Structure formats: C-alpha cells, structure tokens
Amino acid sequence: MDSKEVLEKSKALQKATAAQEFPETIIRILNELKVGIKADEDLLRSTKIGVVVNKSKQHQNPQVARLASEIVKKWRDDVQKAKGGSPSSGKKSPNGTASPVPSSASSNGKTKLNVPPAERDWKMDKVDIAKTNQATRDGCIGLIYNGLCHMSTAAPSDVLQKATAIEAAGFDKLGPESNAGYSSRMRTLYMNLKNKSNPKLRERVLSGEIPPERFIVMTNDELKSAERKLEDEKLMKENLKDAQMPR
C-alpha cells in the first residue's frame, strides 16, 4: 500500500470503530493493513497509522485487541530491523551514523564505566536514546535508563537495550504517547527503580528475571522490596491489634 491507500484504510478503521461496527469488519480492515503495509519509519510517521491501530488494542473484543497488538509489534520490529538491529551492534544505521559505544571493556573482561555508578545517567553514559523519533517516547527511554543505571555497573549498551524494551512494552500496553496513563506509568517505574531502599528491583529487571512486559503491569505492592513488605505487614498487624484493644 502507498500512503494514500494507508490513509484511506486508517479513516475506514476509525469510522468502523466509532460506529461500533461488528468486530468482523474491524478485523478485516486490520488484516488488510497487516498484509498490505511494509512498515517503514517514514510511512508510519506520515500516516500515523500506528497510532490509529494502537487504539484498537483497547477494543472490547479480544480478537480485535490481539490482532492490533500483533500488528503494532510487527511494525515496530520491522522498523528496528531497518535501523540495523541491536543498538549495541556498533553498525551503521540507515542515516549513516554509527551506533554509539560509550564504554570499553577492560583486560579482565568487565565493563569500564566513564563515571561512578552513583553519577550515571544517559547523558553521562553518552548513549543515544533517540530510538522512536518521538520526543515523549525517547524521553521515557532516557528516564527508564536513568533508573536502571543508578548504582549499577551494567554496560550502557545493556541498560539501553533494556530501557528501550521496557518503553516499548509500556507503549504497547498504554500508548499512544499522548495518553496520560503512559507517561504516569513511566514516571512511577522510574521512581521505583531509583529507590535507594530497593536495589534488588533494578537487579531483577536488568538480569531479565522480571521481563519488560511483566514489569510494566506490576502493582505497587509487587514493586516493593521484601523488607518493605515485611515492614508494612508488621505495621498492619500492629494497627489491627490496636483496633481490637478495648477502649
């Protein structure tokens, strides 16, 4: 499909959704988009079809929501492949610039950082967070990066890869980027990652023990450290005991 055809399908999808037409109609349009579009950055940006399809992920019909999710993921993967794959590869990207390699390996095989772990952030690590060509989303990648790298000795390339995956999972679940819930969730996750009393959370996320898709939907209680949970449980028991005391 060319951009004109994509825009026509976009209008048809929006119209069918607004009119609450049968799910079969929406599924037909989505399948036409899935088969007909060879995703590239320019097409997605000029037609904004990704934003339109992304909204269908919230559709009450599970088949529509699932198909929309599959399409968004496929397009995102296609664009990433077109950019040259992993951000840590150091290969030339489509615009002719090399991916940054902000750290080097020492003779013992460990990553040599440019700054102390307590002072790390994406700017100090000199990484490129511009992965989506959308300022809000790229800013959230930087925010999550800052939370993950705080007090960590992990390689910048590994931290960036994880931060990018977390933002992508958040965008898939809560996007588009104009949705207040998306930005709010990114800030909440950042604050939990940088919490000095909960270093284990950073370690579990960076190691992959907590995958991005799971991290995005964790409740406030699940994000707490084991020590904090014990303290809360103790306080709750004390409050319950006080409430049962005769007055």
Side-chain angles (χ1 to χ4, degrees):
M1 291 185 186
D2 58 23
S3 59
K4 183 178 179 181
E5 291 174 306
V6 173
L7 286 171
E8 289 175 355
K9 293 296 180 184
S10 176
K11 290 177 182 177
L13 178 58
Q14 293 179 77
K15 183 178 179 181
T17 303
Q20 297 183 338
E21 294 188 18
F22 291 117
E24 290 78 8
T25 302
I26 298 176
I27 289 173
R28 176 180 56 77
I29 298 172
L30 287 172
N31 276 321
E32 289 173 351
L33 288 167
K34 182 178 181 180
V35 174
I37 289 182
K38 184 177 181 181
D40 66 67
E41 216 167 303
D42 291 336
L43 180 66
L44 295 180
R45 191 187 305 120
S46 64
T47 62
K48 299 191 182 299
I49 188 62
V51 175
V52 176
V53 172
N54 194 65
K55 291 179 180 178
S56 294
K57 288 163 50 180
Q58 309 301 322
H59 198 280
Q60 60 185 6
N61 182 279
Q63 287 181 292
V64 172
R66 182 166 57 251
L67 179 56
S69 295
E70 290 174 1
I71 293 172
V72 170
K73 183 179 185 303
K74 179 180 182 299
W75 289 348
R76 186 182 69 240
D77 290 346
D78 288 345
V79 170
Q80 288 293 337
K81 289 177 182 177
K83 285 184 174 181
S86 170
S88 62
S89 64
K91 295 180 181 179
K92 292 274 185 178
S93 64
N95 62 8
T97 59
S99 300
V101 182
S103 63
S104 58
S106 61
S107 58
N108 60 8
K110 293 183 179 181
T111 300
K112 183 179 179 181
L113 299 174
N114 297 323
V115 295
E119 298 176 15
R120 292 184 70 183
D121 61 23
W122 70 267
K123 291 181 180 178
M124 295 297 289
D125 280 356
K126 300 179 181 178
V127 299
D128 180 12
I129 61 170
K131 301 300 176 185
T132 69
N133 285 315
Q134 294 178 6
T136 300
R137 294 188 62 189
D138 290 342
C140 287
I141 291 175
L143 194 66
I144 297 299
Y145 185 101
N146 291 348
L148 288 170
C149 73
H150 181 65
M151 298 303 296
S152 171
T153 57
S157 58
D158 293 340
V159 179
L160 181 59
Q161 188 174 33
K162 188 66 67 175
T164 303
I166 290 170
E167 185 282 329
F171 183 79
D172 282 350
K173 186 74 177 177
L174 301 167
E177 68 277 5
S178 57
N179 186 350
Y182 162 81
S183 298
S184 175
R185 188 59 180 165
M186 293 296 110
R187 286 193 296 270
T188 296
L189 295 178
Y190 161 73
M191 291 171 64
N192 278 275
L193 285 170
K194 204 164 182 180
N195 189 336
K196 293 180 180 179
S197 65
N198 195 8
K200 288 291 183 182
L201 179 63
R202 290 192 297 274
E203 295 172 9
R204 294 174 67 200
V205 173
L206 278 170
S207 69
E209 180 184 341
I210 301 177
E213 294 77 11
R214 172 63 185 146
F215 184 46
I216 286 294
V217 298
M218 288 175 72
T219 64
N220 289 334
D221 192 58
E222 290 172 331
L223 289 166
K224 292 177 183 176
S225 65
E227 293 78 11
R228 178 62 185 274
K229 288 179 182 178
L230 288 174
E231 290 175 7
D232 289 350
E233 186 178 346
K234 181 180 178 181
L235 182 60
M236 187 180 297
K237 288 180 179 179
E238 290 176 352
N239 291 338
L240 182 60
K241 184 177 179 181
D242 290 342
Q244 293 173 340
M245 292 288 287
R247 301 293 180 184

